[in-house]
């Protein structure tokens, strides 16, 4: 047992109290809190599970996912051209490399990291550069007129207008300004950085959760595909057995030792088994395409299971160890603790809106000008520059905002308290998930044993029923009933195997443990078993009759 799990167990043992009837109860008030175990700001630990694959081997290089925005527009582009057998390990590797959902979550981690860097930048000063006119040119033209009143009256007018010279000006200027500002005291800076850092850790936890969920969904889809493959085999065996029974019934009917009713019963059972085969083939195709969707294969490739369904192993940890491991490893609980920290930091940042901010600033500006002015025959040129530099402290304080900052502070604190209750709810959900999977595992384990015995017994019962029917001591009904019971027993056995493997995958996902003991090797006989007569019969494919015509067959 890991050391941190053992520590929690010892702490629980030390808090036990004994009741009057001698039963030991746990004093819930002395249990360690999640903050004591994980800290107030837990960090994501990618080492708790194997890292995701980033590249594919050469054997799988042709199965890289298509471009994200690719969209086929021709029927040939989506026509299946290859059935590719894949193992569970290969399917997991393809999912980790190709999965678009996992890639999206990985980019969210990078976004959170960029947001953290943006928040940390508030510790540094800001420098603003402004330039006007690099350079800018000004051209002007002026002329003045002098209107005077003459003492001597003119026969035309009493005003004399004197025209002045025209003044031409050309000026080029260049302005440059630099502003340096640094917040020395900013009450919102530290809580904003803390919230960004916790959001980054929460995004890293979300990536680990997405990776665990992806592996679980891949394993579930693969085990379901193995189940439907086995179901197809069972249905084919049932159809072959029904064909054999129908052959016997017709032979006996032609020999005059059987009735038409027995032939009809055999035909009915054959139709039943063919319908079961159609349903199994449909489920198999759907399971293949579902797996192709999860691992994002090329449009013209369909995966198949490379190995038949079998028991993957034995779950070694006890129920109690599994629950404690789930509490220790589940990133969902860490996320709620981080939510508490994020909301507390956001509350402090909201309160900073009514606290003073002190800054130091330095404003530097300079201007250079170069001009030329001409008036009449006189022309002058000039140039020059000036510079201003201002250094000082500035303070701002929003003394009254109508209570908005206090209201936001209370809202964030209430959100932090709500996250604590959500933590308690998630804790119960995690325990229920582990318990349900553990109980399902135990039930499926028993079901595998009982259905195995049922299959063996039913095979022998069907063999004896056929012998009795051939000897004329029983009817076709007994053969049909035993054959149907065998098919159902095989179906339940296949279902139990798949459900058992899926619950193993769920326990791995829910607890973070990988303590699965391997099954002992099977002691198989050296002689090859004789193939049953029913398996030697070739099953012809059923014609694809349109529904309108098929509905008329039974009318």
């Amino acid at each position: 047992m890991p050391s941190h799990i053992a520590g929690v167990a010892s702490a629980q043992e030390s808090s036990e109290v004994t009741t009057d009837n001698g039963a030991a109860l746990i004093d819930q008030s002395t249990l360690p809190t999640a903050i004591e175990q994980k800290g107030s700001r837990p960090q994501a630990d990618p080492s708790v599970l194997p890292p995701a694959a980033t590249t594919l081997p050469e054997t799988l290089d042709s199965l890289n996912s298509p471009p994200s925005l690719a969209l086929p527009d021709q029927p040939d582009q989506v026509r299946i051209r290859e059935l590719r057998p894949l193992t569970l390990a290969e399917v997991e590797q393809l999912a980790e490399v190709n999965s678009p959902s996992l890639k999206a979550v990985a980019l969210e981690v990078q976004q959170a990291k960029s947001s953290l860097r943006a928040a940390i930048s508030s510790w540094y000063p800001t420098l603003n550069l402004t330039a006007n006119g690099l350079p800018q040119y000004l051209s002007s033209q002026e002329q003045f007129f002098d209107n005077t009143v003459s003492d001597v009256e003119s026969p035309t007018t009493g005003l004399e207008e004197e025209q002045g010279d025209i003044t031409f000006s050309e000026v080029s200027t260049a302005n440059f300004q630099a502003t340096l500002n640094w917040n020395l005291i900013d009450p919102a800076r530290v809580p904003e950085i803390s919230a960004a850092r916790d959001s980054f850790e929460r995004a890293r936890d979300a990536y680990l959760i997405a990776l665990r969920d992806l592996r679980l969904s891949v394993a579930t889809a693969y085990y379901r595909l193995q189940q439907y493959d086995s179901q197809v085999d069972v249905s084919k065996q049932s159809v072959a057995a029904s064909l054999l029974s129908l052959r016997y019934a017709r032979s006996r009917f032609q020999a005059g030792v059987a009735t038409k009713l027995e032939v009809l019963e055999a035909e009915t059972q054959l139709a039943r088994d063919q319908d079961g085969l159609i349903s199994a083939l449909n489920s198999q195709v759907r399971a293949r395409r579902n797996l192709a969707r999860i691992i994002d294969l090329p449009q013209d490739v369909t995966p198949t299971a490379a190995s038949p369904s079998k028991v993957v192993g034995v779950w070694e940890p006890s129920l109690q160890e599994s629950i404690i491991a789930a509490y220790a490893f589940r990133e969902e609980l860490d996320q709620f603790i981080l939510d508490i920290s994020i909301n507390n930091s956001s509350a402090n940042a909201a309160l900073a809106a009514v606290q003073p901010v002190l800054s130091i600033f330095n404003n530097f500006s300079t201007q250079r000008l170069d001009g030329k002015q001409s008036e009449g025959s006189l022309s002058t040129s000039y140039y020059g520059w000036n510079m201003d530099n201002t250094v000082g402290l500035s303070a701002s304080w929003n003394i009254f905002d109508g209570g908005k900052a206090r209201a936001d502070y209370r809202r964030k604190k209430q959100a932090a308290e709500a996250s604590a209750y959500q933590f308690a709810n998630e804790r119960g959900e995690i325990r229920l998930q582990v318990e349900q999977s553990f109980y399902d595992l135990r039930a499926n384990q028993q079901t595998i044993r009982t259905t195995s015995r049922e299959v063996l017994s039913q095979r022998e019962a069907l063999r004896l029923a056929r012998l009795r029917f051939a000897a004329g001591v029983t009817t076709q009904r007994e053969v049909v009933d035993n054959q149907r019971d065998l098919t159902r027993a095989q179906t339940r056995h296949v279902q139990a195997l798949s459900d058992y493997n899926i619950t193993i995958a769920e326990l791995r996902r829910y607890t973070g443990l990988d303590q699965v003991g391997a099954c002992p090797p099977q002691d198989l006989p050296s002689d090859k078993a004789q193939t049953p007569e029913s398996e030697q019969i070739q099953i012809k494919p059923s014609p694809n009759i349109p529904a309108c015509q098929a509905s008329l067959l039974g009318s």
Side-chain angles (χ1 to χ4, degrees):
M1 182 186 300
S3 58
H4 59 281
I5 299 179
V8 175
S10 62
Q12 291 179 347
E13 292 174 358
S14 62
S15 60
E16 290 183 353
V17 295
T18 304
T19 59
D20 295 336
N21 57 3
L25 299 178
I26 300 296
D27 186 3
Q28 300 295 322
S29 62
T30 61
L31 292 178
T33 64
I35 303 298
E36 296 173 353
Q37 298 180 44
K38 299 174 177 290
S40 59
R41 303 170 68 186
Q43 296 184 1
D45 185 10
S47 64
V48 298
L49 74 164
T54 56
T55 57
L56 294 176
E58 294 182 0
T59 56
L60 302 177
D61 191 56
S62 61
L63 299 181
N64 272 310
S65 61
S68 300
L69 297 180
L71 188 62
D73 57 356
Q74 298 295 330
D76 287 341
Q77 297 173 351
V78 295
R79 182 173 289 111
I80 303 302
R81 304 181 187 276
E82 180 184 2
L83 295 177
R84 186 68 174 268
L86 298 172
T87 64
L88 178 58
E90 290 174 339
V91 169
E92 289 181 347
Q93 193 172 13
L94 283 168
E96 293 169 3
V97 175
N98 291 348
S99 174
S101 59
L102 188 64
K103 293 177 182 177
V105 177
L107 288 178
E108 290 177 1
V109 177
Q110 297 301 320
Q111 294 174 22
K113 187 176 182 179
S114 299
S115 298
L116 175 58
R117 289 177 176 175
I120 294 176
S121 65
S122 61
W123 278 109
Y124 298 94
T126 60
L127 178 62
N128 247 349
L129 300 179
T130 305
N132 295 326
L134 291 175
Q136 70 177 10
Y137 297 94
L138 174 63
S139 177
S140 64
Q141 179 179 346
E142 297 178 348
Q143 185 177 14
F144 297 95
F145 298 90
D146 185 15
N147 293 331
T148 59
V149 179
S150 176
D151 294 336
V152 181
E153 292 185 359
S154 172
T156 57
T157 179
L159 298 177
E160 292 184 358
E161 185 179 84
E162 182 178 353
Q163 183 176 358
D165 295 332
I166 299 176
T167 302
F168 298 93
S169 299
E170 293 181 358
V171 182
S172 64
T173 61
N175 301 318
F176 175 80
Q177 183 177 1
T179 303
L180 181 68
N181 190 74
W182 193 1
N183 289 343
L184 300 179
I185 299 176
D186 186 359
R189 178 166 48 202
V190 172
E192 287 177 352
I193 294 177
S194 298
R197 182 259 185 192
D198 292 336
S199 298
F200 172 61
E201 293 297 334
R202 197 181 191 284
R204 294 177 65 192
D205 286 333
Y207 175 79
L208 296 179
I209 293 172
L211 181 57
R212 291 181 189 270
D213 289 339
L214 177 64
R215 288 172 175 171
L216 175 60
S217 62
V218 167
T220 302
Y222 191 82
Y223 292 141
R224 288 301 180 199
L225 177 56
Q226 287 182 328
Q227 172 190 343
Y228 294 131
D229 287 346
S230 300
Q231 185 62 46
V232 169
D233 294 337
V234 170
S235 299
K236 288 181 178 179
Q237 295 174 11
S238 300
V239 172
S242 295
L243 289 172
L244 182 61
S245 298
L246 180 59
R247 179 186 302 176
Y248 287 161
R250 284 176 176 173
S251 299
R252 289 172 55 81
F253 176 70
Q254 293 174 358
V257 294
T259 63
K260 182 64 175 178
L261 178 61
E262 294 177 346
V263 177
L264 294 176
E265 288 177 345
E267 290 177 348
T268 302
Q269 182 60 35
L270 175 60
R272 238 186 244 119
D273 291 335
Q274 287 176 338
D275 182 67
L277 178 58
I278 293 172
S279 178
L281 289 172
N282 176 54
S283 300
Q284 183 188 53
V285 172
R286 294 178 60 181
R288 287 176 176 177
R289 293 311 306 167
N290 179 51
L291 183 60
R293 174 192 62 83
I294 295 175
I295 61 180
D296 197 20
L297 288 182
Q299 296 283 334
D300 58 349
V301 178
T302 290
T304 62
S307 58
S309 180
K310 63 178 182 179
V311 176
V312 296
V314 180
W315 184 253
E316 296 179 346
S318 65
L319 175 60
Q320 292 74 24
E321 291 173 345
S322 301
I323 294 174
I324 296 300
Y327 287 160
F329 287 110
R330 291 292 290 271
E331 291 82 7
E332 290 88 342
L333 295 178
D334 294 349
Q335 284 189 319
F336 285 110
I337 298 177
L338 289 172
D339 285 340
I340 296 174
S341 179
I342 291 172
N343 287 319
N344 286 331
S345 298
S346 299
N348 295 331
L351 203 59
V354 291
Q355 294 176 349
V357 177
L358 179 64
S359 305
I360 184 173
F361 66 90
N362 186 1
N363 294 331
F364 172 81
S365 62
T366 181
Q367 181 182 28
R368 183 185 181 279
L369 58 90
D370 187 1
K372 180 179 179 181
Q373 183 175 5
S374 61
E375 183 177 0
S377 61
L378 181 63
S379 177
T380 59
S381 299
Y382 59 91
Y383 70 92
W385 62 274
N386 59 47
M387 180 187 70
D388 295 324
N389 191 44
T390 305
V391 180
L393 294 175
S394 65
S396 63
W397 191 354
N398 185 13
I399 298 179
F400 181 72
D401 65 347
K404 178 178 180 298
R406 278 290 175 184
D408 288 340
Y409 175 82
R410 289 192 299 270
R411 179 172 61 87
K412 293 297 182 181
K413 283 294 185 180
Q414 291 164 356
E417 187 177 359
S419 298
Y421 291 120
Q422 292 171 355
F423 177 93
N425 182 70
E426 184 67 19
R427 180 188 60 205
E429 291 289 338
I430 288 175
R431 174 162 184 168
L432 181 61
Q433 287 177 346
V434 175
E435 289 176 335
Q436 286 181 341
S437 297
F438 197 89
Y439 298 147
D440 290 343
L441 180 70
R442 187 167 57 187
N444 292 326
Q445 183 175 346
Q446 298 294 328
T447 304
I448 291 175
R449 183 177 63 87
T450 56
T451 54
S452 298
R453 294 169 53 188
E454 184 181 3
V455 168
L456 295 176
S457 300
Q458 238 3 91
R459 282 176 180 170
E460 182 64 16
L462 178 59
R463 188 185 70 84
L464 295 177
R466 282 176 177 164
L467 292 177
R468 285 165 54 83
F469 178 67
V473 297
T474 187
T475 62
Q476 181 68 27
R477 168 57 59 185
E478 183 178 347
V479 177
V480 169
D481 291 343
N482 281 279
Q483 180 181 331
R484 183 174 61 249
D485 292 342
L486 175 60
T487 301
R488 291 176 178 175
Q490 290 175 325
T491 301
R492 287 195 296 270
H493 181 69
V494 169
Q495 178 77 32
L497 280 177
S498 178
D499 291 344
Y500 179 87
N501 291 337
I502 290 176
T503 51
I504 289 287
E506 289 175 348
L507 286 172
R508 283 175 168 171
R509 162 64 182 94
Y510 297 150
T511 65
L513 300 178
D514 197 17
Q515 301 177 13
V516 180
C519 295
Q522 296 181 355
D523 187 11
L524 300 177
S526 58
D527 298 332
K528 183 178 180 180
Q530 185 178 2
T531 304
E533 185 179 0
S534 61
E535 296 184 8
Q536 300 176 1
I537 299 178
Q538 183 179 4
I539 302 175
K540 297 180 180 180
S542 301
N544 189 12
I545 303 176
C548 295
Q549 299 179 16
S551 62
L552 300 177
L553 297 178
S555 61

